[in-house]
C-alpha cells in the first residue's frame, strides 16, 4: 500500500471501489472516514451512519459488533482538527539547493583529504534525503493546526527496509553499500551522523535551512520539478547532464536509456508513438 503522495486519490478509490488491501483495513477505514468528513463534508452523526452503510456494502459477512472499535477509531481520527487528505503533484528543487550539493567536496579521509570514490553517490543520496525532507515538510505543515508552524526536519529513521528503499529511490549502483560506503562517508564529512536503531541526523539540513532563511538574495528560481517519486536520483543525474537520463516522449516519465536512440520508457509508449507517427504518415499520403 503506497499512498503517501496521493492520499486524496487513494481515499477516493477506496470509497468508490472498496478495500484495496485486506492487510491494511484499519488504515483504509481511516482514509474512507476522512474522505467522508473532509471531502463529502459529513457531520459526525451523518458520518457514523454512512460509515456503517459503507462497511455493510464492502465487508463480506459484516457484523457491526466485530468492526465497532475499528470504525469508531477511524471516525474519531477523521473528526480531529487538522485531519485532511493530501495529494502531492510535484516537489520543487531550487538552484541554490542543488548547487550547494554539487559544490560539496566529499573526502575519502580527513587526513589525506582526497576526494572520495563515493562522492557522486553521496551527493545523490543527499539530494534524495532533501526530497524526503521536502515531502515531510509539505505534509506536516499542511496538516498542522498551528498557522505559524514551520517544519525543520533533520532526521531520517532508517532500518533495513527503509535503507533499501532509500537506496532504490536514490538510484544508487547495486554494488554500492548504503551503510558502509555512503552513510559512513557522509559521517566522515560531517554531513550526517548515525545515531541509534537506524536513526540518522541530517547535519547538512542545517545549511539548507540557513540558506533558505538568511540568504534572501540566493537564486530561488526552480531548477527542476520532481514528478516521478520513485526515481528521485535520476533527476539529480539529469540536472548534471547525464545523457543516459531522459523523459519519455509519450508519457513524460523520467527513465534511463538503454541506447542513445531510445525515446520512450517502455514498449507500450514506443508502440503509442509508432501508431501516432503512422497516422501522420497516412494523413500526408491522403492529402498528397
Amino acid at each position: 500500500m503506497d499512498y503517501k503522495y496521493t492520499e486524496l486519490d487513494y481515499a477516493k478509490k477506496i470509497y468508490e471501489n472498496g478495500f484495496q488491501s485486506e492487510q491494511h483495513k484499519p488504515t483504509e477505514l481511516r482514509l474512507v472516514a476522512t474522505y467522508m468528513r473532509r471531502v463529502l463534508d459529513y457531520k459526525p452523526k451523518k458520518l457514523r451512519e454512512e460509515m456503517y452503510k459503507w462497511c455493510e456494502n464492502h465487508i463480506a459477512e459484516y457484523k457491526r459488533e466485530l468492526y465497532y472499535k475499528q470504525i469508531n477509531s477511524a471516525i474519531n481520527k477523521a473528526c480531529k482538527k487538522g485531519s485532511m487528505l493530501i495529494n502531492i503533484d510535484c516537489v520543487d528543487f531550487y538552484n541554490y539547493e542543488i548547487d550547494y550539493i554539487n559544490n560539496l567536496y566529499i573526502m575519502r579521509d580527513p587526513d589525506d583529504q582526497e576526494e572520495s570514490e563515493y562522492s557522486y553517490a553521496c551527493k545523490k543520496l543527499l539530494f534524495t534525503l532533501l526530497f524526503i525532507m521536502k515531502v515531510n515538510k509539505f505534509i506536516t505543515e499542511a496538516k498542522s493546526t498551528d498557522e505559524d508552524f514551520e517544519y525543520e526536519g533533520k532526521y531520517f529513521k532508517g532500518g533495513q527496509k527503509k535503507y533499501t528503499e532509500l537506496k532504490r529511490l536514490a538510484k544508487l549502483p547495486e554494488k554500492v553499500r548504503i551503510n558502509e560506503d555512503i552513510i559512513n562517508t557522509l559521517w566522515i564529512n560531517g554531513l550526517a551522523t548515525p545515531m541509534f536503531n537506524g536513526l540518522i541526523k541530517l547535519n547538512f539540513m542545517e545549511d539548507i535551512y540557513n540558506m533558505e532563511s538568511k540568504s534572501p538574495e540566493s537564486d530561488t528560481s526552480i531548477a527542476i520539478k520532481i514528478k516521478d517519486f520513485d526515481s528521485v536520483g535520476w533527476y539529480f543525474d539529469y540536472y548534471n547532464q547525464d545523457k543516459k537520463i531522459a523523459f519519455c516522449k509519450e508519457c513524460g516519465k523520467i527513465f534511463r536509456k538503454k541506447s542513445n536512440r531510445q525515446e520512450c520508457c517502455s514498449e507500450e509508449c514506443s508502440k503509442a508513438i509508432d501508431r501516432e507517427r503512422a497516422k501522420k504518415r497516412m494523413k500526408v499520403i491522403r492529402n498528397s
Side-chain angles (χ1 to χ4, degrees), residues 71-89:
I71 295 171
N72 199 49
S73 175
I75 292 171
N76 289 338
K77 290 176 181 177
C79 291
K80 277 186 177 180
K81 190 176 181 180
S83 69
M84 62 188 303
L85 299 168
I86 294 174
N87 278 352
I88 304 176
D89 298 320

Side-chain angles (χ1 to χ4, degrees), residues 86-142:
I86 294 174
N87 278 352
I88 304 176
D89 298 320
C90 69
V91 175
D92 295 337
F93 269 76
Y94 299 100
N95 282 313
Y96 77 88
E97 294 172 328
I98 306 183
D99 288 344
Y100 163 78
I101 294 174
N102 272 332
N103 291 331
L104 288 170
Y105 185 77
I106 299 180
M107 298 176 291
R108 180 179 63 187
D109 190 309
D111 294 331
D112 60 32
Q113 296 191 355
E114 289 187 13
E115 187 172 20
S116 170
E117 62 182 298
Y118 303 114
S119 179
Y120 187 77
C122 284
K123 293 175 182 181
K124 283 183 74 171
L125 190 71
L126 291 177
F127 181 84
T128 305
L129 288 166
L130 179 54
F131 164 82
I132 292 171
M133 292 300 105
K134 283 175 173 285
V135 170
N136 290 345
K137 178 181 177 69
F138 181 89
I139 294 174
T140 305
E141 290 184 352

